[in-house]
Amino acid sequence: MASTVGAPRNERIFLTLLAVLGTLWFAEDVLVPLALAILLSFLLAPLVQRLQTWGLPRIVSVLATALVAFALLGGVLYVVGTQFLNLAESLPSYKTNLVEKIRSLRPPANGSFKEGTETVKELTEELQKAAPSEEKKPRAVQKVEVVEPPPSPMQIVREVFGPILKPLGTGAVVVVFVIFMLYQREDLRDRVIRLVGVRDLHATTQAMDDAAGRVSRYLMMQTLINAMQGVAVATGLWLIGVPNAMLWGALTMVLRFIPYLGPWLAAAMPIALSFAVFDGWTFPLMTIGLFVVLELFSNNVLEPWLYGTSTGVSQLALLVAAVFWTWLWGAAGLFLSTPLTVCLVVMGKYIPQLEFFSILLSDEPVLKPKQRFYQRLLARDPEEAEELIDEAREEQSLLEVFDTMVIPALVLAEQDHQRGVLEESARQYIIDQTRELGDELCDEEEKRRHDADTPALLSKGARFSVLSLPAADEADEVAAHLFARQLALEGIESQLCSVATLKSEMLNKVEEMQPDVVCISALPPAAMVHARYLCKRLHARFPDVPIVVGLWSALGDMEKARERLETVGCGKLVASYTEGMEEMTRRLQPVLQGVKPSGDTAVHKEPVSRAL
């Protein structure tokens, strides 16, 4: 049934993607100016809002912002154009120097490379002589020259102004779009909300605010960084003596909007020019060094400082997006690739139907720590599983690592085994590896505390004992064992009964040890039944012994579970090692103060050595 329902759904998704790609392809002339206008609106909207807070009317703020922005853009284009024409006039004078540098790179005249070339040439001539000659030579072809009539005035106008009419038209459309978008920004926002999701107004508004914030922050910071880089490049090239330094600074500012490829394109042209202009290799190497130093400073100091937070897109996704949008829209798509990809990631974050965009493109981990750890154990890769633990240990305490990774992985294994998707051999491997990695963590923590001379919670003179009992199976035993080791790190005497121990033998152990607390460890999904049964038998025989039940990493209705366990004598229900240690610390306080815990009428016998 699932396959018959899923197939039409997959077909609809595939047809929808084809329709979207077709629309993006054929409507390029309309969508590219629209996308450019939207991005410029994101960039200029904060300035419009600032002018409005100063008391200027909306229309005046919009026109003033647009005038300043496009005047600056026009000034940059004018500088680039004039500098480019000046460079074109100067290029012939650099030809001689460039030829000399190329000749200096050639190998010696009598070198082995030349001898090899001459040998290949002689062999080629011998092969041509040995080839059979053609019986008939083709007749000489009479050349015909087509003389075109002189172009008409309209053709001259079309050839001169035709190439610049389309960019000018696109620019004019973008200017008009930007002005109207800035002026009617709130109205357009409301219409988009109505179109996308008026039923879930909160999620839609949050998605739009998130997208606008990320894109605006990216564009503003990228513009500021590129401007600083452009000024630094122009200044440095001017000091070195590279001609048309302002041109290269302006191009650096523009081309760095292109992800990955832009900085290389910006550096390639002035570096090539430096080889043509200067004699020797000193100044070209200085030019290369200038770009290397500036890029290293920008990537490692300037960008992390100014960005603060990332765009939310992974580096691989940015690279793939740059290729995709370039294939779709050419150079314009290359400039727009990062902002458009950011918008897709935000849409996938808030719109369930587009969640795959967020999964594929976002830089946030798609798996939780416990899932990543469990997946590595499933793949039988204990080395990487240990690396995940080491990474978590740098930011979390030992108890937090057990609560977020180690014990939840055991729970996932138990759930998969109960559903029949995890074989017994794989389950046993995960249980063994979890126990081994958990012991290594406890050993490292014990060594660290010993080296740092960190005092335990309970001094050697006082006595407080806990008996840990597994509820049903070996996974419960591992959970009980690792919790007992946490208790031992705090100086609490702890003993553990094996899962092979009969329930009657566990009761005898309680009578023999007379612990201050009995802790029953149980893992979902079958934890409640076994824990409740054992708790009931314990309370019936030892009504005065406090019982703590650890339903480790349980996510269900804890209040209902607590009520069911309290009816059979459970004194406290905990769901994590952290809660369990807090409960033990609470019960330990009267002992630390020299007072016997209330409700504990057991008489202690001689101390029993800790067995783990």
Side-chain angles (χ1 to χ4, degrees), residues 90-319:
S90 305
L91 279 179
S93 62
Y94 307 141
K95 179 180 178 181
T96 304
N97 190 31
L98 187 59
V99 170
E100 290 296 328
K101 276 197 171 57
I102 295 175
R103 287 177 178 174
S104 66
L105 295 175
R106 291 180 179 176
N110 297 324
S112 58
F113 180 78
K114 183 178 180 180
E115 293 177 358
T117 304
E118 291 178 352
T119 302
V120 174
K121 184 177 179 181
E122 291 175 0
L123 291 175
T124 304
E125 291 177 353
E126 292 298 327
L127 289 174
Q128 290 177 349
K129 292 178 182 180
S133 59
E134 299 180 357
E135 296 180 358
K136 295 182 180 181
K137 295 183 179 180
R139 294 182 179 180
V141 180
Q142 185 176 1
K143 295 182 180 180
V144 179
E145 183 178 358
V146 179
V147 180
E148 295 183 359
S152 63
M154 288 300 298
Q155 290 177 332
I156 295 175
V157 172
R158 189 182 301 113
E159 292 177 359
V160 173
F161 295 101
I164 64 174
L165 286 178
K166 185 176 180 180
L168 288 176
T170 302
V173 172
V174 170
V175 171
V176 174
F177 278 170
V178 168
I179 292 175
F180 276 92
M181 286 180 180
L182 290 175
Y183 183 68
Q184 298 183 338
R185 184 167 56 89
E186 287 79 5
D187 181 65
L188 291 174
R189 180 196 60 197
D190 295 343
R191 293 181 184 277
V192 172
I193 291 176
R194 177 66 180 85
L195 181 65
V196 175
V198 71
R199 294 182 179 179
D200 194 354
L201 199 60
H202 173 72
T204 306
T205 303
Q206 193 172 4
M208 294 189 63
D209 291 343
D210 194 359
R214 288 196 194 185
V215 175
S216 296
R217 182 172 59 250
Y218 164 76
L219 291 175
M220 290 179 64
M221 293 300 100
Q222 190 65 48
T223 301
L224 179 59
I225 291 173
N226 290 1
M228 297 171 66
Q229 191 85 345
V231 171
V233 166
T235 305
L237 294 179
W238 176 74
L239 293 175
I240 294 173
V242 178
N244 307 104
M246 293 183 64
L247 170 64
W248 311 124
L251 286 180
T252 298
M253 177 180 175
V254 175
L255 292 176
R256 288 190 91 258
F257 280 102
I258 301 175
Y260 303 107
L261 187 61
W264 296 99
L265 291 177
M269 292 179 283
I271 290 174
L273 182 62
S274 67
F275 280 100
V277 172
F278 299 111
D279 296 328
W281 300 93
T282 302
F283 290 105
L285 292 177
M286 290 176 62
T287 306
I288 295 174
L290 172 67
F291 280 97
V292 171
V293 171
L294 289 179
E295 282 301 321
L296 289 175
F297 178 77
S298 177
N299 294 333
N300 297 292
V301 178
L302 203 57
E303 291 184 2
W305 173 50
L306 290 177
Y307 275 131
T309 56
S310 67
T311 58
V313 184
S314 69
Q315 297 298 315
L316 179 61
L318 285 177
L319 185 59

Side-chain angles (χ1 to χ4, degrees), residues 3 68 105 223 225 265 320 328 405 410 440 504 526 529 551 571 594:
S3 60
V68 172
L105 295 175
T223 301
I225 291 173
L265 291 177
V320 174
L328 193 65
M405 292 183 64
L410 272 179
E440 289 180 4
S504 58
V529 176
L551 294 182

Side-chain angles (χ1 to χ4, degrees), residues 211-475:
R214 288 196 194 185
V215 175
S216 296
R217 182 172 59 250
Y218 164 76
L219 291 175
M220 290 179 64
M221 293 300 100
Q222 190 65 48
T223 301
L224 179 59
I225 291 173
N226 290 1
M228 297 171 66
Q229 191 85 345
V231 171
V233 166
T235 305
L237 294 179
W238 176 74
L239 293 175
I240 294 173
V242 178
N244 307 104
M246 293 183 64
L247 170 64
W248 311 124
L251 286 180
T252 298
M253 177 180 175
V254 175
L255 292 176
R256 288 190 91 258
F257 280 102
I258 301 175
Y260 303 107
L261 187 61
W264 296 99
L265 291 177
M269 292 179 283
I271 290 174
L273 182 62
S274 67
F275 280 100
V277 172
F278 299 111
D279 296 328
W281 300 93
T282 302
F283 290 105
L285 292 177
M286 290 176 62
T287 306
I288 295 174
L290 172 67
F291 280 97
V292 171
V293 171
L294 289 179
E295 282 301 321
L296 289 175
F297 178 77
S298 177
N299 294 333
N300 297 292
V301 178
L302 203 57
E303 291 184 2
W305 173 50
L306 290 177
Y307 275 131
T309 56
S310 67
T311 58
V313 184
S314 69
Q315 297 298 315
L316 179 61
L318 285 177
L319 185 59
V320 174
V323 175
F324 171 77
W325 289 108
T326 304
W327 166 77
L328 193 65
W329 285 349
L334 189 58
F335 278 96
L336 296 170
S337 61
T338 300
L340 291 176
T341 308
V342 170
C343 293
L344 290 177
V345 169
V346 175
M347 291 169 63
K349 182 179 178 180
Y350 294 99
I351 302 176
Q353 294 81 356
L354 301 178
E355 185 181 7
F356 65 94
F357 281 129
S358 180
I359 294 174
L360 293 176
L361 304 177
S362 175
D363 61 352
E364 299 178 357
V366 295
L367 294 179
K368 296 179 180 179
K370 63 179 181 180
Q371 294 172 327
R372 296 178 64 196
F373 181 70
Y374 177 53
Q375 191 274 332
R376 287 296 85 202
L377 293 180
L378 282 176
R380 296 180 181 266
D381 187 355
E383 290 78 12
E384 189 168 343
E386 189 172 0
E387 289 179 4
L388 292 175
I389 289 181
D390 293 339
E391 292 176 4
R393 193 69 179 88
E394 294 177 358
E395 300 178 356
Q396 296 178 332
S397 66
L398 181 63
L399 288 176
E400 289 172 337
V401 171
F402 277 109
D403 288 338
T404 58
M405 292 183 64
V406 180
I407 302 303
L410 272 179
V411 174
L412 291 174
E414 291 297 286
Q415 292 173 345
D416 286 348
H417 182 260
Q418 190 180 55
R419 290 190 297 117
V421 297
L422 185 66
E423 297 180 356
E424 178 60 30
S425 60
R427 172 178 176 266
Q428 188 62 46
Y429 174 82
I430 292 174
I431 290 175
D432 294 340
Q433 287 298 321
T434 302
R435 184 184 187 116
E436 182 178 341
L437 291 173
D439 280 335
E440 289 180 4
L441 275 174
C442 294
D443 291 341
E444 292 173 0
E445 178 68 13
E446 187 174 10
K447 183 178 183 302
R448 186 192 66 82
R449 293 191 180 191
H450 180 269
D451 294 341
D453 198 18
T454 303
L457 185 64
L458 188 65
S459 62
K460 294 183 179 180
R463 183 176 183 274
F464 187 88
S465 60
V466 177
L467 177 62
S468 295
L469 303 178
D473 54 23
E474 194 171 354

Side-chain angles (χ1 to χ4, degrees), residues 473-517:
D473 54 23
E474 194 171 354
D476 297 335
E477 180 182 339
V478 171
H481 164 74
L482 295 177
F483 185 66
R485 293 216 57 179
Q486 308 304 309
L487 297 173
L489 289 173
E490 300 298 341
I492 299 174
E493 178 187 342
S494 59
Q495 292 193 33
L496 170 68
C497 285
S498 168
V499 69
T501 306
L502 298 176
K503 296 294 187 291
S504 58
E505 294 176 341
M506 291 183 181
L507 297 179
N508 294 334
K509 184 66 176 178
V510 174
E511 184 176 9
E512 173 191 345
M513 180 180 175
Q514 297 185 6
D516 293 286
V517 177

